[in-house]
Amino acid sequence: MSERPKPKPGWLAHPVLSLLLAAAWLVLQQSLAVPQLITAVVLALVLPRLLHGFLGPGARLRRVPVALHFAGVVLWDIVVSNLIVARIVLTPGSDPQPAWVPVALDIRDPTAIVLLATIITTTPGTVSCVVDEDRRRIMVHALDCADPAELAAQIKQRYEQPLKEILG
């Protein structure tokens, strides 16, 4: 029995990626001139279609308002974490307490797990290093962590729970 060839993806197989690509192009160009708008549309339509085989199926957002709030939380945490890390680095005699923190995962969706690991790594002072083979936990290295259980609880509450709502 031969396999059927995979159908070609539609022009908007990854609509969120397309929107982000177009917005990023326009922000980088700092212009809404017609040539820049045309380039943004072409990039938004062509790149996801060309990369479809590498990207896999597009993730569908279940709750857009939660996703927008979540983006704000992540951006806020990045700013606050930058300030905390700067204080640790610039304060003479500071004594950070690095720690490895295991975070048990409730999410199973590979996209959600990758996003969680990316958010953790993007937030200064923490790095996600290992996602266990069975995807039951993620190991996080924290620059300064007095209470590993509290950090794990914060990651689950601030990041994992909203991802579960957004991506299902």
Side-chain angles (χ1 to χ4, degrees):
M1 194 179 226
S2 69
E3 271 187 50
R4 285 185 175 179
K6 290 184 181 179
K8 286 208 172 220
W11 283 103
L12 282 174
H14 297 275
V16 174
L17 178 60
S18 293
L19 181 65
L20 289 173
L21 283 168
W25 178 260
L26 293 173
V27 167
L28 288 171
Q29 296 304 310
Q30 298 179 358
S31 171
L32 292 176
V34 173
Q36 299 308 330
L37 291 171
I38 292 170
T39 303
V41 169
V42 169
L43 288 172
L45 293 175
V46 172
L47 284 178
R49 186 174 171 101
L50 288 174
L51 298 173
H52 182 74
F54 297 106
L55 298 174
R60 299 289 178 230
L61 300 180
R62 289 177 148 195
R63 302 191 54 203
V64 174
V66 174
L68 293 174
H69 179 264
F70 181 58
V73 167
V74 170
L75 290 174
W76 175 257
D77 286 352
I78 289 171
V79 170
V80 170
S81 295
N82 269 299
L83 296 172
I84 291 169
V85 169
R87 180 178 48 96
I88 290 170
V89 170
L90 297 174
T91 302
S94 67
D95 188 25
Q97 300 173 0
W100 285 100
V101 180
V103 180
L105 295 176
D106 295 329
I107 53 177
R108 297 287 178 255
D109 178 52
T111 301
I113 293 170
V114 168
L115 281 173
L116 177 62
T118 302
I119 290 165
I120 291 168
T121 299
T122 306
T123 307
T126 56
V127 178
S128 59
C129 293
V130 176
V131 176
D132 281 354
E133 290 286 327
D134 60 3
R135 294 191 174 155
R136 308 239 2 132
R137 72 179 183 158
I138 188 168
M139 292 296 292
V140 176
H141 183 269
L143 173 67
D144 188 23
C145 179
D147 186 357
E150 174 62 27
L151 178 60
Q154 284 180 354
I155 289 171
K156 291 184 74 58
Q157 186 263 329
R158 291 185 71 80
Y159 305 138
E160 185 185 34
Q161 184 58 40
L163 282 172
K164 195 185 312 184
E165 289 182 46
I166 295 165
L167 296 174

